[in-house]
Amino acid sequence: MLIAQLSDPHVRPAGMLYHGVADSNRMLADAIRHLQQLDRRPDLVLLTGDLVEEGRPEEYAQVRALLAALTIPWLVIPGNHDHRDNFRAAFADQCRLPAEGPLHYCDDAHPVRIVALDSCVPGRHHGHIEPDGLRWLHATLSADPHKPTLVMLHHPPFVSGIPYMDDYRYMAPEPLEAVLRAFDNIEIVLCGHVHRAMLRRWAGTVVCACPSTTTEIALQLRPDAPPQSYLGTPACMLHLWSAEHGMVSHLSAIGEFEGPYPFA
């Protein structure tokens, strides 16, 4: 099974730029074309939050218009820039989304079970999941403790070292870690939020953060670093799973580059 991951497109209303700089709508369209031109077609696309910048209905209308070009099945979770109720309304045809409360759900229709967690705190930018959500997660994982499982949430549940992002990370991740560590079938945990690729061993599995399709947050590790971003190379992640070899993840740059050349 090939699972593609897009994250943090920060879509704006038609004709508007992200922070007045990046054409985030065009860049999401580019990412969709990129996935559909891969030499192996993904079986599923996961979008791990911050689909829009301000949570406005007109932004979600634009997201849906862009996703109409995606002919691969897809699943979404919200990020801290999303608005939970507007997100729920925009994706009401996604029958897996609960009718009220946090947008946790499970898609068990694939060789790898997809468990989606809503780590957003309404009105705030950091991440957290309440005890009811963790109980739901434990019950969902307990329903089949052997099936290969992918968990996705928006906020990385660890310190990245980038100070202005760590202020808005998933706070107090120990209860979430305890739930996941109780199961040995978690292939990978996917997140977004940091607009960068990051990897960490955590909770008995691996956490992988996906770059943004729009901007790249600057890698600055000194404690007093000011927030900065670049119009860097947009990218996505490709997660290839097989029963024989498990999960392997690849960074896939989006754009036109010289080549291919006849060597490897």
Side-chain angles (χ1 to χ4, degrees):
M1 182 178 185
L2 182 60
I3 301 167
Q5 182 187 3
L6 303 176
S7 202
D8 297 83
H10 290 273
V11 165
R12 302 306 330 271
M16 291 186 64
L17 299 178
Y18 173 59
H19 284 276
V21 173
D23 189 350
S24 56
N25 298 2
R26 176 191 58 77
M27 296 170 90
L28 177 56
D30 290 345
I32 289 170
R33 280 192 297 273
H34 173 76
L35 294 183
Q36 298 189 144
Q37 294 171 0
L38 291 171
D39 69 327
R40 175 171 170 177
R41 180 182 176 86
D43 300 290
L44 183 66
V45 179
L46 306 178
L47 292 99
T48 47
D50 280 359
L51 273 68
V52 305
E53 171 63 6
E54 295 182 351
R56 294 157 56 181
E58 58 267 35
E59 292 177 319
Y60 288 113
Q62 187 66 24
V63 167
R64 291 307 307 257
L66 292 165
L67 288 176
L70 183 57
T71 59
I72 304 165
W74 47 267
L75 299 173
V76 295
I77 54 170
N80 53 294
H81 283 266
D82 290 300
H83 183 283
R84 183 175 286 163
D85 290 336
N86 290 343
F87 187 101
R88 194 192 321 269
F91 298 103
D93 56 330
Q94 296 279 97
C95 61
R96 302 170 189 84
L97 295 181
E100 58 184 19
L103 301 173
H104 311 310
Y105 65 93
C106 177
D107 185 338
D108 204 6
H110 311 281
V112 176
R113 174 175 53 180
I114 310 297
V115 176
L117 298 176
D118 180 354
S119 60
C120 299
V121 180
R124 306 292 295 274
H125 283 291
H126 71 275
H128 185 67
I129 296 174
E130 294 296 325
D132 283 350
L134 297 180
R135 284 190 285 270
W136 174 89
L137 174 61
H138 189 274
T140 299
L141 296 176
S142 298
D144 188 344
H146 304 294
K147 183 171 183 177
T149 296
L150 180 158
V151 175
M152 62 172 178
L153 71 165
H154 181 66
H155 298 82
F158 58 84
V159 173
S160 71
I162 304 173
Y164 40 87
M165 295 308 299
D166 287 337
D167 286 343
Y168 306 117
R169 69 185 187 277
Y170 188 109
M171 299 297 185
E174 293 80 10
L176 173 60
E177 180 179 5
V179 173
L180 296 178
R181 192 175 289 278
F183 298 88
D184 61 6
N185 60 326
I186 310 299
E187 292 282 338
I188 197 167
V189 176
L190 303 183
C191 56
H193 190 53
V194 290
H195 293 214
R196 301 189 60 86
M198 296 191 307
L199 294 173
R200 189 186 174 195
R201 184 174 60 185
W202 178 78
T205 185
V206 175
V207 185
C208 177
C210 183
S212 169
T213 58
T214 301
T215 55
E216 180 180 52
I217 285 175
L219 178 59
Q220 300 182 101
L221 302 178
R222 71 177 195 273
D224 61 343
Q228 292 182 339
S229 292
Y230 290 94
L231 281 175
T233 302
C236 61
M237 298 299 299
L238 300 175
H239 308 284
L240 179 62
W241 179 87
S242 69
E244 181 181 6
H245 300 294
M247 187 78 76
V248 60
S249 298
H250 298 269
L251 179 71
S252 183
I254 299 167
E256 299 294 329
F257 307 98
E258 290 188 23
Y261 298 107
F263 56 82

